[in-house]
Amino acid sequence: MADIALVLGAGGGTGGAWETGILHGLAEAGVDLSTADLVIGSSAGALVGAQLASGLIGLPELYARQLADPQGEVGGKLGTATLMRYARAVLTSRTPEAYGQKLARMARETRTALTAAERQELIAGRLPSPDWPERQLRITAVHADTGELHIFDKDSGIPLAGAVTASCAVPAVWPVATIDGQGWIDGGVYSPANAHLAAGYERVVVIAPTVSGNKVIISPRSQATDLEAKGARVAVITPDAAAKKALGRNSLDPSRRAAAARAGLAQSAAHTEAVAAVVGS
């Protein structure tokens, strides 16, 4: 088996800020996950993972960025009507692929605040480098036509910003991302964490802002249980009560990012011992 895998799940801008707070707090306590052998990122976790894996910016600075004034940033919102359409898609789907196809159709029918090119330019501006890191970074996205989960990495032959934009393409909020003529939507549509992709790694840490699963989507904890059944040691971190309050109901609201990051930093202390036991720090 391989060694340490870090899984960073989906959860919008506030979820990504909370993940950054958790990572920063763990590192301050002597458990630095930025050195993991593999980083798997989905949606917000793809952006955090790409920043982390670059090796060009440390966790203190990444954390500080979350505290910056978001004035002028374009946020998004999953309104009640959109969430109801999501729920109907779940109820009428039997597989994650069928669910993904329905959300992709929804995404194509929705007018968004930014064009696909504007969205990718914004994402590119948040990356420390346009180049894929040498370290193992895997970014998930869902194919808009088939609903199948896909993994982008440094050998995929596409720009890093394109992969992260695809992974962050929340249906009905941001436009469908296009890469080489193929449409892609948010990697978190298939699974909130996609922790199953860490199979084969001896030690796995899953940081998942989105906790729940349903009849077609497997929850992070269920995926962790499957990894443990295959012999891995796994630690799962999900938001505590204070973090849930800080994250708020709209995970795409930039104004809540600082509070979410601080909540992650505060919560990290409760997980230091368990994570250290898994990774051997």
Side-chain angles (χ1 to χ4, degrees), residues 118-188:
E118 289 170 337
R119 179 65 175 158
Q120 182 160 325
E121 182 179 0
L122 185 152
I123 293 291
R126 295 176 179 174
L127 298 173
S129 168
D131 301 321
W132 284 87
E134 286 304 310
R135 291 178 50 209
Q136 288 294 318
L137 171 65
R138 296 177 187 169
I139 292 175
T140 68
V142 169
H143 196 283
D145 291 333
T146 67
E148 294 177 345
L149 183 68
H150 185 83
I151 302 168
F152 294 113
D153 61 20
K154 62 184 177 183
D155 298 319
S156 298
I158 66 163
L160 176 61
V164 176
T165 302
S167 191
C168 294
V170 182
V173 176
W174 306 124
V176 173
T178 302
I179 301 173
D180 294 336
Q182 300 290 310
W184 302 92
I185 59 172
D186 197 300

Side-chain angles (χ1 to χ4, degrees), residues 73 181 189 213 261 278:
E73 290 190 25
V189 166
V278 166

Side-chain angles (χ1 to χ4, degrees), residues 240-249 256:
D240 60 14
K244 288 178 182 177
K245 184 176 180 180
L247 289 165
R249 294 188 176 184
R256 302 195 68 90

Side-chain angles (χ1 to χ4, degrees), residues 37-95:
D37 300 285
L38 169 68
V39 178
I40 298 168
S42 297
S43 197
L47 178 57
V48 176
Q51 293 170 329
L52 191 70
S54 74
L56 298 174
I57 182 170
L59 280 166
E61 184 177 343
L62 285 175
Y63 177 74
R65 286 186 178 188
Q66 304 306 317
L67 307 182
D69 186 348
Q71 187 174 2
E73 290 190 25
V74 178
K77 185 176 182 180
L78 284 168
T80 302
T82 301
L83 290 174
M84 289 181 65
R85 294 180 71 184
Y86 270 54
R88 283 197 295 270
V90 168
L91 293 173
T92 56
S93 300
R94 294 185 177 182
T95 65

